[in-house]
């Protein structure tokens, strides 16, 4: 720590580039990353079982992916607009981002319905159990994001503290990007991780069940 | 997140104490003040810990006087064992160190007015209370609490025949999941506060070791608790939905179950990926706190401060790559066993550095045998003893025969039950005046110390011998095992009697807490003449938002004790620069400049 940094005024000597909210969100992203990484590791370890049978993924997942991408782009646009003090535009994109995330949840539920109609049940094959579990966990994180989003929207109508509102939109955008990244990894895992791949990785290491 | 403190915290502007919550509800119940939240966390944790203590005495009654107490049947015994373990590790020690000590000390020690997210902090304690209520509810659920052992291993824990396999395990898992949510909310606060809200001059390398210990333990908790969450959710689904994440195809009570193909080993990996860092989630704050206690009460700067910080970080990193040493007897690839044994033994290096530094801090110190110091010294003895037996068990070939015996019970109780709880006591005796403005009674404190210290040795030392004799742990009754001599029973009776005395002895501590709150000697603002920032607010207890009009400015480390030529034997962290007492590196730098 340079002595220059120590002399900075403010409520904290070390506060330089990041706000508390930003640091808190990074830490939370770390926690959620740990959570999903462990889920995926468990998925990989479990799939080497003899009873594993991959499930056919419903096409709705492509739609939900598109919605999440749209949400992420919209919130990024909202963040840029807010930074440039173009608040009408920022609000519009903020709404689009929230709506896209809500629609994402709806489409995920639709995908669940399709699977259930095909008798792919949470208590059935382990790959189905994992699919329901991981999409539910991701969905819960999206719902948490929507809670944060509604607080952000509350701060943007009416605009009492523009700097604060812009910062919140920026954090929302970052969280939406994270939710998208997690979903892409999950989707890739569902679609691409097979027992053969796991055996290819774990075999040389001598890891067996 | 909107934080009230933010709004009334325009840099160093004068603090209007009119902002302090006025009503009883906002001041003591729905409080966002980290000090109140710390006390709430501590009270809930200590209450839960007392339940855990009673459970341990109940199980000792069976072991000391087998069959004498009709209500302690095998099912109850296993329920007591399970709940005792889980309560002590999670709901007492983790909650007390992070939620109690962390909440109280971090903002005061780094010179902040409160945590970064006070509202989230308040939610954290109330969610923790919900977790405790759900856990306690399992005592009253049909079938009682789970009796599957604190590790909750499937398939046994959710299979008929295990006590509490219906409701007890569900409530336990739900409670753990809620607890993890609470810990995450708290943890986000502790990490952000340390990174963001340190006052001017408080560099990371000037933070007291208590803060370092709690900080690194919190990071560990944030990364490791998700493993418990993952295993908990999946086990819950195996139980409630009938999925087969962990449950293998099996026959229970003569009937084939609907489970198939699950991997119990997967649960063990996930559980211990949480479980071993958990040991350090408890130990690292204890290491930090004990460093501060020793330094203050020996009136000497901590030896090798930087080394201590690096040791904490090294232990933190290593603790996530040793988990499978809990699974040596579960079987694993030979090279994995070698890897995990090696990493386990390597942890002894940074840990030993810490022990040597504590001893070197004491060396030629002005040791005051105050109650906190007695507990700190007792910690060092106990931790060394428990650590040495850890070296035995870290070796696969030694672990395999000892793993199922009382040797392990003795080891982990010495190293991660008694050691940290001694630090908890030491810390409470040390910081009670800060929290309440009154000192704890010294005579009762000493009596409590000796009963606890000698008592715990009398309980756990003999268990090493029982373990080497081959006495298996987890058994309800020991009749009819020819390899266990009759003398083992005498030893068990002795241990039980001591355990009862130690259990009752803790009432002295509770009584002291309550009595001293009303009648204890009033403490001035810095009764131990400590240099660290939490004692420099000018008030005991510190006022709302901790600091008066201006935040403190720090000019040195927290260990400026017995500095030659100084008017007092300590120099506060926020004393003017000319008072001296620089940390060694800063002092060397200054001399360099002068030259």
């Amino acid at each position: 720590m340079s002595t220059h940094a120590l002399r900075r005024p403010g409520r904290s000597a070390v506060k330089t580039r990041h706000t508390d909210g930003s640091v808190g969100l990074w830490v939370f992203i770390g926690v959620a990353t740990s959570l999903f990484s462990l889920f995926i590791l468990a998925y990989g370890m479990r799939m080497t079982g003899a009873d594993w049978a991959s499930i056919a993924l419903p096409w709705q997942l492509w739609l939900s992916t598109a919605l999440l991408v749209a949400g992420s782009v919209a919130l990024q646009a909202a963040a840029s607009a807010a930074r440039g003090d173009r608040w009408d535009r920022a609000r519009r994109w903020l709404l689009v981002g929230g709506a896209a995330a809500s629609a994402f949840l709806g489409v995920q539920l639709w995908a669940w319905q399709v699977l259930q109609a095909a008798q792919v049940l949470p208590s059935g094959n382990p790959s189905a159990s994992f699919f329901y579990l991981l999409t539910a966990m991701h969905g819960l994180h999206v719902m948490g994001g929507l809670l944060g989003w509604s607080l952000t929207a509350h701060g943007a109508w009416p605009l009492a503290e523009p700097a604060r509102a812009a910062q919140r939109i920026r954090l929302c955008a970052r969280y939406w990007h994270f939710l998208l990244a997690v979903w892409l990894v999950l989707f890739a895992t569902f679609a691409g991780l097979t027992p053969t791949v796991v055996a290819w990785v774990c075999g040389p290491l001598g890891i067996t069940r | 997140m909107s934080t009230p403190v933010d709004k009334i915290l325009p840099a160093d502007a004068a603090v209007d104490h009119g902002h302090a919550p006025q009503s009883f509800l906002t001041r003591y119940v729905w409080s966002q003040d980290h000090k109140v939240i710390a006390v709430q966390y501590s009270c809930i944790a200590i209450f839960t810990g007392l339940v855990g203590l009673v459970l341990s005495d109940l199980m000792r009654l069976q072991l000391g006087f087998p069959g004498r107490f009709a209500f302690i049947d095998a099912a109850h015994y296993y329920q007591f064992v399970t709940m005792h373990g889980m309560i002590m590790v999670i709901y007492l020690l983790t909650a007390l160190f992070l939620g109690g000590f962390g909440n109280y000390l971090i903002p005061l020690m780094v010179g902040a007015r409160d945590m970064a997210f006070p509202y989230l902090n308040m939610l954290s304690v109330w969610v923790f209370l919900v977790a405790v209520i759900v856990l306690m509810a399992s005592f009253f659920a049909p079938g009682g609490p789970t009796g599957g052992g604190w590790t909750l291993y499937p398939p046994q824990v959710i299979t008929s025949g295990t006590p509490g396999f219906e409701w007890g395990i569900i409530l336990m898992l739900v409670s753990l999941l809620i607890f993890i949510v609470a810990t995450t909310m708290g943890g986000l606060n502790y990490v952000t506060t340390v990174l963001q809200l340190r006052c001017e001059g408080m560099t990371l390398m000037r933070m007291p070791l208590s803060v370092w210990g709690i900080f690194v333990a919190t990071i560990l908790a944030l990364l490791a608790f998700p493993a418990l969450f993952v295993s908990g959710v999946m086990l819950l689904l195996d139980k409630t939905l009938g999925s087969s994440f962990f449950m293998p195809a099996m026959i229970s009570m003569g009937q084939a179950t609907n489970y198939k193909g699950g991997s119990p080993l997967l649960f063990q990996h996930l559980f211990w990926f949480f479980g071993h860092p958990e040991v350090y989630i408890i130990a690292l704050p204890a290491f930090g706190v004990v460093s501060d206690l020793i330094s203050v009460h020996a009136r000497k700067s901590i030896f090798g401060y930087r080394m201590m910080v690096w040791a904490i970080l090294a232990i933190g990193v290593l603790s996530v790559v040793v988990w499978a040493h809990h699974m040596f007897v579960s079987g694993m690839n030979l090279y994995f066993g070698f890897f995990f044994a090696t990493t386990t033994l390597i942890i002894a290096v940074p840990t030993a550095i810490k022990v040597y530094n504590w001893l070197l801090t004491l060396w030629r110190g002005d040791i005051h045998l105050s109650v906190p110091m007695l507990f700190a010294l007792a910690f060092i003895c106990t931790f060394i003893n428990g650590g040495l037996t850890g070296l035995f068990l870290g070796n696969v070939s030694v672990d395999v025969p000892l793993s199922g015996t009382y040797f392990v019970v003795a080891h982990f109780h010495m190293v991660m039950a008694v050691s940290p709880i001694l630090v908890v006591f030491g810390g409470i005796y040390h910081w009670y005046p800060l929290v309440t403005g009154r000192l704890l009674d010294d005579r009762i404190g000493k009596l409590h110390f000796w009963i606890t210290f000698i008592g715990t040795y009398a309980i756990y030392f003999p268990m090493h011998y029982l373990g080497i004799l081959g006495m298996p742990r987890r058994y309800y009754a020991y009749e009819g095992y020819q390899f266990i001599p009759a003398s083992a029973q005498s030893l068990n009776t002795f241990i039980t009697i001591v355990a009862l005395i130690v259990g009752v002895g803790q009432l002295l501590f509770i009584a002291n807490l309550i009595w001293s709150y009303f009648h204890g000697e009033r403490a001035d603002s810095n009764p131990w003449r400590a240099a660290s920032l939490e004692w420099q607010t000018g008030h005991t207890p510190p006022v709302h938002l901790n600091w008066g009009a201006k935040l403190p400015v720090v000019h040195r480390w927290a260990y400026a004790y017995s500095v030659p030529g100084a008017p007092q034997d300590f120099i506060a962290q926020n004393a003017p620069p000319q008072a001296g007492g620089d940390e060694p590196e800063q002092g060397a730098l200054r001399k360099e400049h002068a030259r």
Side-chain angles (χ1 to χ4, degrees):
Chain A
M1 176 81 38
S2 71
T3 48
H4 173 71
L6 296 182
R7 288 198 199 97
R8 286 173 69 92
R11 72 189 177 119
S12 158
V14 292
K15 212 164 119 175
T16 47
R17 289 185 302 134
H18 304 290
T19 61
D20 297 350
S22 171
V23 172
L25 182 60
W26 277 124
V27 177
F28 180 73
I29 286 176
V31 176
T33 305
S34 171
L35 182 78
F36 283 104
S37 308
L38 288 160
F39 266 125
I40 291 170
L41 276 173
Y43 181 85
M45 286 171 78
R46 179 66 181 83
M47 82 174 1
T48 53
D51 60 331
W52 186 273
S54 296
I55 58 168
L57 297 175
W59 66 265
Q60 282 81 357
L61 296 187
W62 291 102
L63 177 59
S64 58
T65 308
L67 282 167
L68 216 48
V69 171
S72 203
V73 170
L75 275 170
Q76 187 59 43
S80 311
R83 196 167 45 227
D85 246 353
R86 288 165 292 159
W87 280 97
D88 280 344
R89 198 178 156 85
R91 288 190 185 114
R92 212 163 39 237
W93 282 118
L94 186 62
L95 275 184
V96 173
S102 309
F104 167 83
L105 289 177
V107 176
Q108 294 291 80
L109 285 176
W110 184 13
W112 276 17
Q113 269 184 347
V114 170
L115 284 177
Q116 295 206 334
Q119 291 302 307
V120 179
L121 302 174
S123 58
N125 192 274
S127 70
S129 309
F130 266 111
F131 179 83
Y132 284 105
L133 173 59
L134 293 180
T135 47
M137 289 311 301
H138 181 260
L140 281 176
H141 282 75
V142 175
M143 284 157 83
L146 282 171
L147 190 68
W149 175 89
S150 56
L151 287 173
T152 307
H154 181 68
W157 277 277
L159 194 63
E161 296 170 89
R164 196 180 177 85
Q167 155 74 2
R168 283 182 172 185
I169 295 176
R170 202 164 59 80
L171 296 186
C172 252
R174 185 195 297 164
Y175 190 60
W176 254 240
H177 302 334
F178 170 71
L179 290 173
L180 173 64
V182 170
W183 172 246
L184 291 177
V185 172
L186 285 179
F187 197 7
T189 305
F190 294 139
L193 193 64
T194 61
T196 324
V197 177
V198 174
W200 183 74
V201 174
C202 296
L205 293 172
I207 305 171
T208 51
R209 289 178 82 229
Chain B
M1 173 96 17
S2 168
T3 59
V5 174
D6 280 353
K7 289 179 186 158
I8 48 174
L9 259 181
D12 284 355
V15 173
D16 174 6
H17 292 294
H19 280 103
Q22 299 300 314
S23 77
F24 180 83
L25 266 182
T26 50
R27 209 167 169 175
Y28 297 111
V29 184
W30 308 115
S31 174
Q32 297 184 32
D33 184 330
H34 71 102
K35 301 184 288 297
V36 178
I37 292 171
V39 173
Q40 291 171 329
Y41 245 116
S42 304
C43 289
I44 300 169
I46 291 173
F47 167 78
T48 320
L50 285 174
V51 174
L53 180 75
V54 171
L55 292 171
S56 68
D57 277 338
L58 287 174
M59 86 179 85
R60 279 310 320 177
L61 281 178
Q62 162 60 22
L63 294 173
F65 308 97
R68 189 81 61 85
F69 300 91
F71 71 98
I72 312 177
D73 56 15
H76 280 119
Y77 176 79
Y78 287 117
Q79 289 169 325
F80 297 159
V81 174
T82 306
M83 296 301 277
H84 164 76
M86 196 61 95
I87 283 175
M88 292 310 205
V89 173
I90 306 273
Y91 298 85
L92 172 68
L93 287 170
T94 307
L96 196 52
F97 270 125
L98 300 187
F101 284 72
N103 254 314
Y104 207 94
L105 295 179
I106 290 174
L108 281 164
M109 281 187 158
V110 303
R113 296 201 183 277
D114 205 310
M115 287 287 179
F117 313 113
Y119 186 79
L120 202 61
N121 210 20
M122 176 187 75
L123 278 185
S124 167
V125 74
W126 289 105
V127 174
F128 169 55
L129 179 63
V130 173
V132 169
I133 290 171
V134 172
L135 181 82
M136 293 299 161
S138 73
F139 283 106
F140 307 99
T146 176
W150 92 278
T151 52
L152 307 178
Y153 278 1
Q156 171 222 349
V157 76
I158 58 174
T159 303
S160 58
T162 303
F165 81 100
E166 281 178 318
W167 285 102
I169 183 64
I170 293 177
L171 289 169
M172 167 66 84
L173 292 170
V174 169
S175 167
L176 284 173
L177 298 181
I178 300 172
F179 179 86
I180 294 166
V181 172
T183 312
T184 306
M185 291 198 273
L188 289 177
N189 254 311
Y190 314 151
V191 171
T192 311
T193 304
V194 168
L195 292 178
Q196 290 286 102
L197 299 190
R198 304 194 307 281
C199 68
E200 194 176 333
M202 180 62 81
T203 59
L204 286 174
M205 279 300 183
R206 276 177 176 168
M207 292 196 307
L209 289 166
S210 293
V211 178
W212 265 111
I214 295 167
F215 177 57
V216 178
T218 305
I219 294 173
L220 278 182
L222 290 174
L223 296 177
F225 269 109
L228 181 65
F229 192 91
V230 169
S231 53
V233 167
M234 285 160 59
L235 189 57
L236 193 60
L237 294 179
D238 276 4
K239 171 69 200 164
T240 52
L241 286 187
S243 56
S244 297
F245 293 115
F246 303 127
M247 293 297 283
M250 59 183 227
I251 292 171
S252 171
M253 303 282 187
Q255 300 240 315
T257 61
N258 289 327
Y259 297 116
K260 53 179 180 235
S263 168
L265 261 187
L266 172 58
F267 179 88
Q268 293 190 20
H269 278 295
L270 287 169
F271 182 85
W272 288 115
F273 187 76
F274 145 77
H276 196 82
E278 171 62 28
V279 172
Y280 290 98
I281 291 166
I282 292 167
L284 290 180
F287 292 169
V289 167
V290 87
S291 305
D292 286 350
L293 296 187
I294 288 171
S295 183
V296 173
H297 293 271
R299 316 304 300 162
K300 206 166 151 232
S301 51
I302 195 82
F303 185 90
Y305 169 83
R306 285 182 170 244
M307 225 191 297
M308 292 296 249
V309 172
W310 286 112
I312 287 177
L313 289 166
I315 293 170
V317 170
L318 283 169
S319 74
V320 290
V321 288
V322 298
W323 77 89
H325 70 216
H326 295 273
M327 297 166 58
F328 285 153
V329 290
S330 301
M332 67 185 73
N333 183 291
L334 204 59
Y335 294 108
F336 272 29
F338 177 75
F339 172 80
F340 283 109
T342 308
T343 50
T344 300
L345 295 176
I346 287 176
I347 284 205
V349 177
T351 315
I353 287 174
K354 297 196 78 68
V355 172
Y356 289 130
N357 284 1
W358 290 323
L359 294 178
L360 286 166
T361 305
L362 289 168
W363 177 252
R364 303 186 73 177
D366 177 9
I367 295 173
H368 292 55
L369 289 177
S370 54
V371 180
M373 185 59 149
L374 288 174
F375 276 106
L377 296 175
F379 162 81
I380 297 178
C381 301
T382 313
F383 187 71
I384 290 174
N385 278 313
L388 286 175
T389 51
L391 292 180
F392 288 49
L393 296 170
N395 287 287
V396 184
S397 53
V398 185
D399 180 74
V400 168
L402 286 177
S403 181
T405 72
Y406 264 80
F407 192 87
V408 172
V409 179
H411 159 71
F412 74 70
H413 274 93
M414 291 293 267
V415 82
M416 76 157 294
V418 178
S419 295
I421 207 74
L422 288 171
V423 178
V424 164
F425 287 136
I428 291 178
Y429 280 97
H430 181 80
W431 281 298
Y432 186 85
L434 185 65
V435 178
T436 63
R438 291 178 188 266
L439 293 158
L440 280 167
D441 186 86
D442 203 51
R443 286 158 307 172
I444 305 178
K446 285 190 170 142
L447 185 61
H448 171 231
F449 166 75
W450 287 111
I451 291 175
T452 308
F453 181 53
I454 297 177
T456 46
Y457 268 72
I459 294 169
Y460 296 111
F461 237 66
M463 284 191 196
H464 293 95
Y465 298 102
L466 290 175
I468 289 172
L469 272 178
M471 189 171 131
R473 59 187 172 127
R474 306 194 184 103
Y475 282 27
Y476 165 68
Y478 291 90
E479 295 98 358
Y481 295 96
Q482 292 195 344
F483 65 94
I484 303 176
S487 58
Q489 187 50 50
S490 321
L491 209 47
N492 265 327
T493 309
F494 168 77
I495 292 172
T496 296
I497 291 168
V498 179
L500 291 171
I501 294 170
V502 172
V504 173
Q506 302 316 306
L507 293 179
L508 285 173
F509 173 65
I510 302 295
N512 200 355
L513 288 181
I514 297 169
W515 187 86
S516 299
Y517 184 77
F518 297 104
H519 308 291
E521 187 189 331
R522 281 196 186 277
D524 64 27
S525 66
N526 190 358
W528 307 114
R529 295 174 299 130
S532 48
L533 219 46
E534 81 274 21
W535 296 102
Q536 316 306 333
T537 63
H539 299 90
T540 44
V543 293
H544 181 64
L545 300 182
N546 299 342
W547 311 96
K550 275 188 167 288
L551 284 173
V553 178
V554 161
H555 297 287
R556 62 188 61 72
W557 65 343
Y559 301 102
Y561 291 104
S562 306
V563 177
Q568 298 183 81
D569 70 346
F570 75 99
I571 304 170
Q573 276 195 284
N574 59 340
Q578 53 273 24
D582 293 330
E583 57 269 30
E585 297 76 15
Q586 182 76 11
L589 208 64
R590 213 182 284 277
K591 275 184 197 151
E592 186 83 11
H593 278 299
R595 229 184 284 149

